[in-house]
């Protein structure tokens, strides 16, 4: 399957994902992010056009990689790009399920003698913080799309990316 971002980019453009994580796991997160967080905001037409023409169309290249542009008030604006937003969403996916391994004995946490797992609250706080950054960057991409006429004004200013806030009570 074709993606807007490679596993290597996903592991380096946002918060770096270190360690030995299989590319197939990162690719699965990329698929989830593209279909659950990105495509609903951009729409099918723009999403498919980015897959097809992202390397050749200058506006699409800027959307993917970030840059500067003039808004409707002739003010210079800058944004980090859709790939960076996707990388943050992927980081959040990895954060929430990165150490869970499915085995023939069920789902387990992968541990060794030198690892300490963070608490559920710490994981949730880190996830929420990462999702806030990812959504902000995606919103910046939407502003660029509107300025360039890639998305019509009917799209929400705040992307609905399905994020949730998880808090531990007590």
């Amino acid at each position: 399957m074709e993606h807007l971002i490679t596993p290597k980019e996903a592991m380096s453009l946002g918060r770096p994902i270190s360690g030995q994580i299989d590319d197939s796991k990162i690719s699965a997160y990329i698929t989830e992010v593209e279909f659950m967080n990105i495509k609903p905001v951009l729409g099918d037409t723009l999403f498919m056009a980015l897959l097809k023409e992202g390397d050749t169309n200058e506006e699409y290249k800027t959307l993917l990689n970030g840059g500067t542009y003039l808004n409707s008030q002739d003010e210079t604006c800058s944004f980090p790009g859709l790939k960076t937003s996707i990388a943050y969403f992927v980081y959040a996916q990895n954060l929430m399920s990165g150490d869970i391994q499915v085995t023939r004995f069920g789902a387990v946490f992968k541990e060794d003698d030198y690892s300490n797992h963070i608490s559920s609250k710490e994981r949730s706080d880190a996830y929420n913080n990462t999702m806030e950054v990812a959504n902000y960057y995606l919103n910046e991409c939407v502003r660029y799309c509107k300025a360039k006429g890639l998305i019509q004004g009917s799209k929400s200013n705040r992307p609905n990316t399905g994020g949730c806030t998880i808090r531990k009570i007590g």
Side-chain angles (χ1 to χ4, degrees):
M1 177 175 189
E2 199 173 344
H3 293 291
L4 298 175
I5 188 172
T6 66
K8 185 176 179 181
E9 289 171 318
M11 293 175 69
S12 64
L13 283 175
R15 294 180 182 163
I17 300 173
S18 61
Q20 299 293 328
I21 300 175
D22 190 0
D23 278 359
S24 64
K25 195 171 198 176
I26 298 297
S27 291
Y29 296 149
I30 292 170
T31 300
E32 293 168 9
V33 166
E34 287 179 345
F35 280 89
M36 294 174 60
N37 302 104
I38 304 303
K39 194 172 80 142
V41 172
L42 299 182
D44 286 300
T45 303
L46 180 54
F47 181 79
M48 297 304 289
L50 285 170
L51 287 173
K52 185 176 180 184
E53 303 170 41
D55 294 336
T56 58
N57 181 305
E58 288 303 316
E59 286 182 341
Y60 294 167
K61 278 190 207 177
T62 302
L63 174 57
L64 289 170
N65 300 309
T68 59
Y69 65 97
L70 293 176
N71 66 13
S72 59
Q73 290 82 31
D74 286 331
E75 299 167 331
T76 302
C77 301
S78 67
F79 70 111
L82 193 57
K83 287 184 177 187
T84 300
S85 177
I86 293 170
Y88 273 86
F89 281 115
V90 168
Y91 181 87
Q93 290 291 92
N94 186 62
L95 184 62
M96 287 306 282
S97 61
D99 57 353
I100 298 172
Q101 301 291 321
V102 179
T103 70
R104 64 184 179 146
F105 302 106
V108 298
F109 285 107
K110 181 113 171 103
E111 294 186 54
D112 65 32
D113 294 339
Y114 305 104
S115 297
N116 292 315
H117 286 282
I118 62 174
S119 70
S120 295
K121 182 187 180 330
E122 291 169 325
R123 182 187 297 240
S124 295
D125 289 347
Y127 172 82
N128 290 336
N129 176 269
T130 305
M131 288 297 288
E132 186 176 339
V133 173
N135 281 314
Y136 180 83
Y137 288 167
L138 182 56
N139 193 43
E140 290 294 304
C141 293
V142 169
R143 286 181 53 205
Y144 170 79
C145 289
K146 286 181 178 181
K148 295 298 180 177
L150 302 174
I151 291 178
Q152 301 307 314
S154 63
K155 292 277 184 188
S156 169
N157 279 338
R158 182 171 171 97
N160 180 11
T161 59
C164 64
T165 302
I166 302 168
R167 291 195 171 89
K168 185 175 179 180
I169 299 174

